[in-house]
């Protein structure tokens, strides 16, 4: 009397006999599920979130970018309209790469106002530095002292505005020149 081989159970459901073809450890039902996971990951993420109330996969680990990152010429983005406490309308534009923010810009229609010019220069400094940090977080671009100085210098609108003064003071620390 010859012993029959023990059937291999499906590695997912343990209820049905596994197939011996491409999905050799899965039954036909679980093989269909595995194909859906592979071919429709967004659907699977939504289902998991709905039924488990947690993200199914951790966020992708960004690959470090050596040197200065070159962003594409055209980026997806969103524009948000806000109103400040002085009732000025501001437009905040967020540029995205793969749905992740990598730049932020702020503008207003009231840029002829002298007092607002100083605020815009300060805001430009903030948004440039935030953009540098966003590229570091989501694209792995290194943040260096030189890049910080460059962004502060580029945000200055006139001599002796706050960004110009920040640049002047911080530039003294560039390459150890603190005299």
């Amino acid at each position: 009397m010859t012993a029959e081989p023990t059937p291999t159970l499906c590695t997912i459901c343990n209820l049905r006999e596994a197939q011996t073809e491409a999905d050799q450890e899965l039954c036909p039902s679980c093989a269909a599920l595995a194909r859906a996971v592979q071919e429709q990951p967004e659907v699977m993420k939504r289902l998991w979130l709905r039924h488990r109330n947690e993200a199914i996969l951790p966020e992708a680990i960004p690959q470090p970018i050596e040197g200065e990152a070159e962003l594409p010429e055209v980026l997806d983005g969103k524009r948000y309209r806000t109103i400040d406490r002085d009732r000025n309308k501001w437009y905040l534009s967020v540029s995205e790469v793969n749905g992740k923010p990598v730049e932020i810009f702020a503008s207003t229609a009231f840029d002829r106002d002298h007092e607002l010019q100083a605020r815009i220069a300060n805001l430009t400094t903030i948004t440039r530095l935030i953009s540098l940090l966003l590229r570091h977080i989501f694209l792995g671009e290194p943040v260096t002292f030189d890049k910080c100085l460059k962004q502060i210098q580029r945000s200055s609108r006139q001599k002796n505005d706050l960004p110009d003064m920040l640049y002047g003071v911080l530039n003294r620390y560039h390459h150890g020149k603190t005299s």
Side-chain angles (χ1 to χ4, degrees):
M1 194 166 174
T2 317
E4 289 190 26
T6 307
T8 306
L9 295 179
C10 174
T11 58
I12 293 178
C13 69
N14 281 328
L15 298 177
R16 298 184 194 96
E17 191 172 328
Q19 299 295 300
T20 57
E21 298 171 12
D23 294 316
Q24 49 189 265
E25 299 174 354
L26 304 177
C27 69
S29 297
C30 292
L33 179 63
R35 278 190 301 282
V37 168
Q38 185 175 19
E39 294 168 5
Q40 299 174 317
E42 292 306 314
V43 172
M44 301 313 297
K45 286 179 186 178
R46 285 195 310 271
L47 284 171
W48 186 272
L49 184 60
R50 184 183 310 149
H51 295 286
R52 297 290 301 233
N53 198 26
E54 65 183 0
I56 189 171
L57 297 172
E59 290 296 318
I61 299 170
Q63 298 299 316
I65 297 173
E66 298 300 324
E68 182 118 6
E70 193 63 38
L71 293 174
E73 291 295 318
V74 178
L75 293 172
D76 291 330
K78 294 183 176 111
R79 180 193 60 98
Y80 302 89
R81 187 176 63 184
T82 62
I83 298 175
D84 68 14
R85 64 178 172 244
D86 297 325
R87 311 287 302 148
N88 295 309
K89 285 183 187 173
W90 290 87
Y91 300 93
L92 306 176
S93 300
V94 180
S95 301
E96 302 173 348
V97 171
N98 297 325
K100 304 293 184 189
V102 295
E103 290 180 321
I104 187 166
F105 301 96
S107 61
T108 182
F110 300 98
D111 60 358
R112 296 186 202 283
D113 181 337
H114 179 68
E115 185 178 314
L116 203 51
Q117 281 293 326
R119 289 174 57 193
I120 291 171
N122 299 344
L123 184 62
T124 301
T125 304
I126 292 168
T127 58
R128 283 181 168 275
L129 293 174
I130 289 171
S131 297
L132 183 62
L133 289 173
L134 290 171
R135 289 192 302 276
H136 171 72
I137 292 167
F138 293 115
L139 299 178
E141 178 181 323
V143 175
T144 65
F145 190 63
D146 284 338
K147 286 182 182 182
C148 289
L149 283 176
K150 184 177 182 180
Q151 294 304 318
I152 293 168
Q153 185 180 35
R154 285 182 172 175
S155 60
S156 177
R157 291 175 146 300
Q158 55 190 323
K159 186 98 173 110
N160 293 328
D161 63 4
L162 183 59
D164 184 55
M165 292 184 293
L166 286 169
Y167 175 79
V169 169
L170 290 174
N171 194 41
R172 294 176 180 204
Y173 294 90
H174 193 248
H175 301 297
K177 344 179 247 191
T178 57
S179 54

